[in-house]
Amino acid sequence: MPLCRSLIRQFSGSSNVIGPGIYFVATPIGNMSDMSERALQVLHGIDVICAEDTRHSIHLLRHYKIPPKQLISHHEHNYKEKIPQILSLLKDSKSIAVVSDAGTPGISDPGAQLADACHREGFPPIPIPGPSAVVAALSICGFDSVPFTFFGFLSSKSKLRRSMI
């Protein structure tokens, strides 16, 4: 790390040690170069990763040369069973990163239920911002984007998609 960055970190009070808590880390939505430096710092420093798809997350960790971590699968089919396990880790003062396959966890995935459970148990989630498919699309749509409303992603089933629209 260049000396300048090292000095800035030293005097700004930040370090590579990530404290106990739960971090909702945005991941690239297509281009691996979209990963933020802060997101990488968190992923390097945490104890556990809760991943929508552990196979996808392993690819991400390898790409950025992040040492292996304990991985917990946390997705739409198992989140009810996994939330108590994740809360238990927080009670044991572990540092946890929550990642989705692409984008920000908690947006149209079970990360929202986990964030709610964390709030109820006194563990405020810490957002680590990054790429957003919604904002990226909105920025180039060609019409006035203020205000806008996001109702979630449209269904892949045509009948349901038409009724949503």
Side-chain angles (χ1 to χ4, degrees):
M1 173 184 316
L3 178 60
C4 184
R5 275 190 179 167
S6 176
L7 290 173
I8 290 170
R9 284 205 175 122
Q10 180 181 352
F11 290 108
S12 68
S14 67
S15 71
N16 288 334
V17 177
I18 303 300
I22 189 155
Y23 301 81
F24 281 63
V25 181
T27 58
I29 57 176
N31 187 320
M32 292 295 258
S33 297
D34 288 339
M35 192 74 163
S36 77
E37 185 175 335
R38 184 171 174 218
L40 291 172
Q41 181 183 25
V42 169
L43 291 176
H44 272 281
I46 49 88
D47 300 313
V48 179
I49 295 176
C50 297
E52 186 175 7
D53 183 337
T54 56
R55 296 165 300 181
H56 184 82
S57 298
I58 287 170
H59 174 70
L60 181 79
L61 297 175
R62 284 183 184 147
H63 179 82
Y64 290 109
K65 297 176 176 60
I66 296 171
K69 308 285 179 179
Q70 178 184 352
L71 287 171
I72 296 175
S73 122
H74 175 260
H75 49 72
E76 65 181 325
H77 303 292
N78 74 358
Y79 72 91
K80 289 179 183 175
E81 295 82 31
K82 293 296 181 165
I83 287 176
Q85 178 186 2
I86 296 164
L87 292 173
S88 178
L89 290 168
L90 287 169
K91 290 174 185 169
D92 288 341
S93 298
K94 297 292 184 187
S95 55
I96 301 169
V98 180
V99 297
S100 62
D101 290 346
T104 305
I107 304 298
S108 292
D109 74 20
Q113 289 85 350
L114 176 57
D116 179 54
C118 289
H119 280 293
R120 283 186 278 119
E121 294 293 322
F123 299 104
I126 303 158
I128 307 299
S132 167
V134 173
V135 174
L138 189 63
S139 72
I140 61 162
C141 68
F143 54 83
D144 188 10
S145 59
V146 178
F148 82 93
T149 303
F150 177 66
F151 290 104
F153 296 105
L154 296 175
S155 173
S156 60
K157 297 177 180 162
S158 62
K159 185 175 180 179
L160 184 56
R161 185 174 53 246
R162 283 189 202 109
S163 71
M164 291 172 75
I165 294 172

